[in-house]
Amino acid sequence: MKKVELKQKTRSLVKNVARKSKVKNHTWVESDSGVLDIEITHRNFDVEMDPSEFKKILQIIKWMDTPFFFSRGRLAWYIFENPPTIKNLQNSLISAKIKGVGGFNPVSDAKNRDSIYDKQSNKPFQPTSKPLISFATYPHIGFDDTGQFQVVFGNVAPIGGILHKNATNEYVASEHLLKNNVPSIVPLIVTKYPKLSFERSVMGTVVCISPSLYPLRLSEIQFGAALRRGENPIKDLYYDQIRESLDVSGSPDTEETRLETLSKLATQIGKAIHNFSLSGLYRYSAELPNFEFDIKNASVVLTDLDSTQFLKNIDPQLQGLQVLRDFASMMYHFISKFSTPLALGHYSISKLLEYNPIKNLMIGYFPNIDPSLFDQITSKLWKAYIPYFMLLNKHKESIHDEKFDQGQRRSYKMDHDLFFILVMNLIYPIFINSDVGIQYRIGFNQDELYHNSVQYLKRRSDYFDYLLK
């Protein structure tokens, strides 16, 4: 699409959204729920905005007006009629991202995904005190107090809601990132629901300002709408705008164009996670569904920060390990998502190796290192992943037809803990001499890290040695 045509199409869409925003934001569907009491606990007074718009957001949080959910999940959306401003901040401020205000579980979005509620409906629902079990039961790799690898599980969250302390995490983390010049959503307010609690903790909401017209994430390019052009004009336009801002030409329908786009985004993501860690934060799931994009500034934007923590609050001996784990998480999520159900059949081994976007992650994260040093490392990581990539693609039809249940499909996925540990061991010599590694030292030398890895992996250590050496 020519740039002039794209700009005209963008202006037309924005005008259409602005004209319908009142309907979209407030009367999209009716809810059977009553008004909720709230208490504002945090507010960013650097944000200058129309008082009537602020009032509308509070009405949504209270359920005086029904929240608008663009898609399945707990993320409500409000498009500003008069966008706010912040002095000396270049971020685009277009929409309000409201988390914890409730949930939406339509039938149309449920295929190949974990359940988030016991019933499906085209009506949104208020935050509940019911536990969201499906995500909390998925194991992660972490550390004990001595730095040894161990299996950990995420905290259980309330369906449709968020704990006030987690809402505060997102507000404080985004505020901290912006002060350190790391591209992030902009915090606006945190509220409590005084009469709602989950596991003896009060619930609440967090509202942050997004650079996006709609709550779309970079995952649309890797395993979303970019693979199914023509189904959703808003998502098609989103992909077109990102490609234009990154100066990517070529047909949007081809694997080559997607991979060129993803490679350029990967360089930015690597830099963003490097700066995230250098600023003193850890625990961020750096997968593409957790990145927005600022079209105007051609920049990736960190979002979903409610699990983020400060490194200064943990033992110094664990700080470097947590930073290294965040790096491994970034690498794992980027490579593994080429075999999500919707991505199956859309990527080839030859093109993945040719464009090698995980190398771009490393280029962004280690800007002062010779990129040729990453070739051998990424080659080993692709060899670890490709057997699972081929196995899942072999069963593409059964997965798409949902003949495989969630457990069976997950059993075919790459061992995430083994991959994390492989990344950490491979990258160790480069990491310890980088600016992040110097600031946050790892409490083990390379031999000790390897020994801890073998102790944890046990019977899988032979395969680990094969991949490592």
Side-chain angles (χ1 to χ4, degrees):
M1 182 181 294
K2 294 180 180 179
K3 288 189 177 183
V4 173
E5 294 178 9
L6 180 58
K7 288 179 180 177
Q8 290 174 342
K9 188 174 181 181
T10 302
R11 281 196 295 268
S12 176
L13 177 62
V14 171
K15 287 180 180 179
N16 186 48
V17 169
R19 180 171 58 85
K20 296 182 177 179
S21 63
K22 186 172 182 180
V23 174
K24 284 281 188 181
N25 287 323
H26 302 310
T27 59
W28 170 63
V29 291
E30 289 300 322
S31 169
D32 300 326
S33 306
V35 174
L36 299 175
D37 293 332
I38 69 167
E39 173 190 337
I40 298 175
T41 61
H42 299 71
R43 180 173 177 181
N44 185 354
F45 287 99
D46 289 336
V47 177
E48 298 180 4
M49 63 184 300
D50 186 330
S52 66
E53 299 256 54
F54 187 77
K55 181 180 178 181
K56 289 177 182 177
I57 290 172
L58 295 183
Q59 288 175 326
I60 292 169
I61 297 172
K62 295 176 182 179
W63 281 74
M64 293 172 68
D65 292 318
T66 303
F68 165 59
F69 293 84
F70 185 79
S71 58
R72 174 182 182 269
R74 63 173 179 176
L75 183 61
W77 205 250
Y78 177 84
I79 301 167
F80 291 110
E81 296 177 22
N82 299 301
T85 59
I86 300 180
K87 188 181 296 184
N88 299 324
L89 186 68
Q90 300 301 312
N91 296 47
S92 302
L93 306 175
I94 297 175
S95 304
K97 164 182 174 280
I98 310 171
K99 184 186 294 185
V101 74
F104 183 46
N105 192 38
V107 177
S108 58
D109 285 355
K111 187 175 181 180
N112 291 127
R113 304 180 74 178
D114 290 306
S115 174
I116 64 166
Y117 200 43
D118 54 11
K119 59 182 177 181
Q120 295 173 333
S121 172
N122 287 328
K123 287 185 177 183
F125 54 88
Q126 288 190 350
T128 76
S129 58
K130 296 181 179 180
L132 182 56
I133 300 297
S134 57
F135 292 96
T137 56
Y138 193 73
H140 304 279
I141 185 71
F143 312 100
D144 65 17
D145 292 340
T146 66
Q148 305 298 310
F149 290 109
Q150 68 173 6
V151 175
V152 296
F153 295 89
N155 294 325
V156 179
I159 294 174
I162 186 173
L163 297 184
H164 176 260
K165 62 182 179 181
N166 292 94
T168 304
N169 280 352
E170 178 151 309
Y171 182 98
V172 172
S174 56
E175 183 179 52
H176 174 82
L177 289 171
L178 292 172
K179 287 179 179 177
N180 286 274
N181 299 313
V182 183
S184 168
I185 49 175
V186 176
L188 180 61
I189 57 171
V190 178
T191 70
K192 281 183 180 179
Y193 285 126
K195 296 181 180 178
L196 295 181
S197 64
F198 178 76
E199 295 187 343
R200 299 182 180 181
S201 293
V202 67
M203 294 166 61
T205 68
V206 56
V207 182
C208 294
I209 304 175
S210 166
S212 302
L213 188 63
Y214 281 105
L216 300 175
R217 305 291 174 84
L218 295 182
S219 51
E220 295 293 347
I221 300 170
Q222 187 181 27
F223 57 89
L227 308 179
R228 304 182 301 281
R229 294 279 293 183
E231 291 186 8
N232 189 314
I234 292 173
K235 293 182 178 182
D236 289 348
L237 179 60
Y238 177 72
Y239 180 32
D240 292 339
Q241 289 174 320
I242 290 175
R243 286 186 294 104
E244 182 195 4
S245 68
L246 296 174
D247 293 322
V248 176
S249 58
S251 169
D253 297 306
T254 65
E255 178 184 7
E256 291 85 351
T257 299
R258 287 196 305 277
L259 286 171
E260 182 182 353
T261 306
L262 289 169
S263 295
K264 289 192 173 185
L265 291 170
T267 305
Q268 288 198 27
I269 288 170
K271 180 181 178 181
I273 297 304
H274 164 275
N275 293 343
F276 168 89
S277 297
L278 200 61
S279 79
L281 298 178
Y282 75 103
R283 198 176 291 170
Y284 185 74
S285 182
E287 55 181 324
L288 293 188
N290 287 337
F291 287 96
E292 298 183 31
F293 194 79
D294 187 333
I295 301 292
K296 175 184 173 183
N297 295 305
S299 172
V300 300
V301 173
L302 278 71
T303 188
D304 293 340
L305 296 155
D306 53 287
S307 297
T308 299
Q309 304 287 333
F310 282 83
L311 287 163
K312 66 182 180 181
N313 295 330
I314 62 174
D315 189 323
Q317 295 298 313
L318 299 178
Q319 292 175 358
L321 284 173
Q322 290 290 359
V323 171
L324 193 57
R325 184 203 174 281
D326 278 346
F327 176 86
S329 173
M330 173 184 70
M331 299 291 283
Y332 169 80
H333 285 298
F334 203 103
I335 197 171
S336 68
K337 294 303 191 293
F338 285 112
S339 52
T340 60
L342 292 176
L344 297 177
H346 290 280
Y347 294 99
S348 62
I349 294 174
S350 60
K351 293 300 179 184
L352 288 173
L353 296 180
E354 177 185 345
Y355 284 88
N356 198 6
I358 60 171
K359 180 179 178 180
N360 289 79
L361 289 174
M362 298 182 68
I363 290 171
Y365 195 96
F366 300 110
N368 299 318
I369 304 295
D370 179 1
S372 65
L373 296 176
F374 305 146
D375 291 334
Q376 186 178 33
I377 294 172
T378 56
S379 176
K380 291 180 178 182
L381 296 178
W382 284 114
K383 286 177 181 177
Y385 168 66
I386 284 173
Y388 301 93
F389 172 83
M390 292 304 301
L391 181 63
L392 286 161
N393 273 280
K394 175 184 176 181
H395 296 286
K396 175 172 67 103
E397 286 75 19
S398 294
I399 292 171
H400 284 176
D401 294 341
E402 294 190 296
K403 294 178 181 177
F404 285 7
D405 60 23
Q406 290 281 357
Q408 187 173 10
R409 180 167 62 84
R410 279 183 172 174
S411 71
Y412 285 12
K413 292 171 65 176
M414 179 172 62
D415 284 0
H416 83 280
D417 54 349
L418 187 150
F419 191 86
F420 273 48
I421 291 171
L422 178 65
V423 171
M424 293 173 71
N425 278 267
L426 288 172
I427 206 65
Y428 182 95
I430 294 174
F431 177 83
I432 59 171
N433 294 311
S434 69
D435 54 353
V436 183
I438 291 171
Q439 181 162 325
Y440 300 106
R441 289 292 185 182
I442 295 175
F444 304 116
N445 62 35
Q446 188 155 21
D447 288 341
E448 290 169 332
L449 178 64
Y450 170 79
H451 176 75
N452 293 343
S453 302
V454 170
Q455 288 290 105
Y456 170 82
L457 291 169
K458 296 180 181 176
R459 287 182 296 176
R460 292 180 291 167
S461 61
D462 278 350
Y463 184 48
F464 168 67
D465 277 333
Y466 163 75
L467 295 170
L468 186 65
K469 299 175 181 179

